[in-house]
Amino acid sequence: MAISAAGVGSGLDVASIINQLMAVERQPLARLQDQQKSYQSKLSAFGQVQSAMSKLQDAATALTKSATFSATKASAGDTKAFTVSSGASAQTGSYGIEVEQLARAQRVASSATTAPSVGEGTLTISLGRYAEDGSFTAAADGEKTISLAAGASLSDLRAAINDADAGVSAQIINNGTIDQLVISSKDTGAAQAFRLSGTGALAGFGYDAGNADPGLATIQSAQDARLSIDGLAITRSSNTVSDAIEGVTLSLVKPTEGETAVTVARDDDTAKKAIDEFAKAYNELNTLIRSQTSYNAETKKAGTLNGDSSMRSIQSQLRTALGNPISGLSGAKMLSDAGISFKTDGSMSVDSTKLTEALADPSKKIGELFAGNGTVDGFAKSMETRLKGMLGTDGLLSARTEGINSTIKSFDLRIETMEARLVKIEARYSAQFTALDAAMSSMNTTSAFLTQQFANL
């Protein structure tokens, strides 16, 4: 392979000359790349605006839900006996609760002193209920039978019971001397009791609470929870009672010592928090748009989206959605009625004291001010609708970002074409200067020869 070093023969700095020529040739490419970067910056800025708008939409949606303005909070006088929670459907007021007994699951165990014998046999598990006289009534489809082969172990019996899905579970507990098999109902309540009937080597695992000698020992009997609410007797199979008082859930822990009070009150904190989140999201979007569209006359520096018509449209729609009173509402009609105002920079301010007073005044119907009344949209509902339209696939932002993406792709093609052209230009320059170098080298050689000849004369 021939080795060439342009400039060696002529003394010209060919590499530097080519680099300088190519720097001039690359100027149009640099301008294209700068233009592409500006569009990429716009795309990034639109992405930030889109994210802020989505956050505002979520905050607006929270204010359209009736539960936000009808939330309640419940408290119990004796939290050691039970806890209480309430939802939007709960009526404010107080109730007297007395817990007589908790719901329990049935639990039986094998002997604590004699190791159980396991082998070939069957065990029938029947779910049902024991009457006061000890008689057992099996539930429909509540009976299953398991079988073990000769040589089976206590672990095999435990596994067979658990695999049977018979409404009971089994576990082995070592009491320090021997292993005991403990069988328990999976659910609490008197209707979740069980009877066991064994044959063969499993006969010793039988259990019937109505028999004097039930086989396995009773650890705990199945029973329902019993309580009274304002003197009315209530029975439930679970210790979680959510269907006695509408919208109120009681979680029973232990019996009470007499009656204890439960109070259900309004929870305006939920609405306040939702309104504060809405104001925060709005202000973040407002600040972002102002920053992206700003222009500093002193530094002559403009924001990435300065002069963009889409941003002006978004600002206009947001101000329209929040600035005008809503007719058709029977309560408050303006955000200022709820203590919400706007500063000169467009940011939203919430007067906590005025908001608290407005929420406590039923005539203002602050929930309708934000959500609407079914006929007329409130401020939050209107905002949610506008944002959904702008953020949708056919919305303002999608159309704008699609246009920017298309422009960026067109720059990619133009840059690729120009880079290929520059490669050819550089190759041409290299060939031309290599030829020039060779020609000058030849001329220098001839000049030196002639000079020598003339000197010899």
Side-chain angles (χ1 to χ4, degrees), residues 162-192:
N162 290 332
D163 292 343
D165 191 23
V168 301
S169 62
Q171 56 183 321
I172 297 174
I173 296 178
N174 186 281
N175 63 13
T177 304
I178 63 170
D179 288 336
Q180 288 182 265
L181 181 69
V182 179
I183 303 176
S184 308
S185 300
K186 288 185 177 180
D187 298 314
T188 60
Q192 298 300 314

Side-chain angles (χ1 to χ4, degrees), residues 5-8 12-22 426 430 433:
V8 172
L12 292 174
D13 189 352
V14 174
S16 176
I17 294 172
I18 293 176
N19 286 337
Q20 293 180 53
L21 289 172
M22 289 307 300
E426 186 172 14
S430 179
F433 278 96

Side-chain angles (χ1 to χ4, degrees), residues 16 33-34 43 62-63 97 100 104 125 204 232 244 258 275 283 299 310 333 361 394:
S16 176
Q33 291 172 330
D34 288 341
L43 188 63
L63 289 172
I97 309 295
E100 298 176 27
R104 297 189 184 281
I125 305 168
L232 301 177
I275 292 172
N283 289 337
T299 61
S310 300
K333 295 177 174 57
D361 186 351
D394 297 327

Side-chain angles (χ1 to χ4, degrees), residues 50 53 124 132 172 180 202 247 256 285 327 355 400 403 409:
Q50 186 172 8
M53 289 174 68
T124 300
E132 291 185 6
I172 297 174
Q180 288 182 265
L202 300 183
T256 58
L285 176 59
S327 59
L355 176 59
R400 191 72 181 89
K409 289 180 180 179

Side-chain angles (χ1 to χ4, degrees), residues 230-242:
D230 288 341
L232 301 177
I234 304 293
T235 302
R236 293 291 186 272
S237 62
S238 170
N239 290 316
T240 300
V241 183
S242 58

Side-chain angles (χ1 to χ4, degrees), residues 78-323:
D78 184 0
T79 55
K80 293 182 179 179
F82 62 87
T83 58
V84 60
S85 61
S86 61
S89 62
Q91 298 296 315
T92 58
S94 60
Y95 307 87
I97 309 295
E98 183 175 2
V99 181
E100 298 176 27
Q101 71 176 31
L102 299 180
R104 297 189 184 281
Q106 181 178 324
R107 186 172 294 115
V108 299
S110 60
S111 173
T113 57
T114 304
S117 176
V118 183
E120 183 178 3
T122 64
L123 183 66
T124 300
I125 305 168
S126 304
L127 281 182
R129 179 190 293 268
Y130 285 100
E132 291 185 6
D133 61 2
S135 61
F136 181 81
T137 302
D141 300 325
E143 189 171 280
K144 291 190 177 181
T145 299
I146 61 173
S147 300
L148 292 183
S153 65
L154 190 62
S155 296
D156 294 329
L157 177 57
R158 176 188 58 185
I161 292 173
N162 290 332
D163 292 343
D165 191 23
V168 301
S169 62
Q171 56 183 321
I172 297 174
I173 296 178
N174 186 281
N175 63 13
T177 304
I178 63 170
D179 288 336
Q180 288 182 265
L181 181 69
V182 179
I183 303 176
S184 308
S185 300
K186 288 185 177 180
D187 298 314
T188 60
Q192 298 300 314
F194 58 85
R195 182 178 62 187
L196 304 173
S197 302
T199 65
L202 300 183
F205 292 94
Y207 178 86
D208 189 336
N211 292 338
D213 184 13
L216 298 182
T218 303
I219 298 177
Q220 180 173 279
S221 298
Q223 67 181 31
D224 290 329
R226 290 206 306 265
L227 64 155
S228 64
I229 301 175
D230 288 341
L232 301 177
I234 304 293
T235 302
R236 293 291 186 272
S237 62
S238 170
N239 290 316
T240 300
V241 183
S242 58
D243 57 351
I245 305 173
E246 183 179 1
V248 177
T249 298
L250 302 170
S251 299
L252 310 183
V253 179
K254 69 174 186 176
T256 58
E257 297 179 0
E259 189 175 82
T260 186
V262 165
T263 302
V264 180
R266 287 171 53 87
D267 182 17
D268 289 336
D269 289 342
T270 299
K272 289 179 184 177
K273 182 179 179 181
I275 292 172
D276 286 340
E277 289 295 325
F278 178 76
K280 179 182 178 182
Y282 180 85
N283 289 337
E284 288 178 356
L285 176 59
N286 178 67
T287 300
L288 179 61
I289 291 177
R290 285 172 58 85
S291 173
Q292 294 290 356
T293 59
S294 65
Y295 179 76
N296 190 317
E298 294 182 1
T299 61
K300 296 183 179 180
K301 185 176 181 180
T304 303
L305 300 178
N306 176 262
D308 191 280
S309 60
S310 300
M311 289 297 99
R312 290 195 297 270
S313 177
I314 291 173
Q315 282 182 313
S316 175
Q317 291 191 53
L318 294 180
R319 290 168 181 169
T320 300
L322 299 176

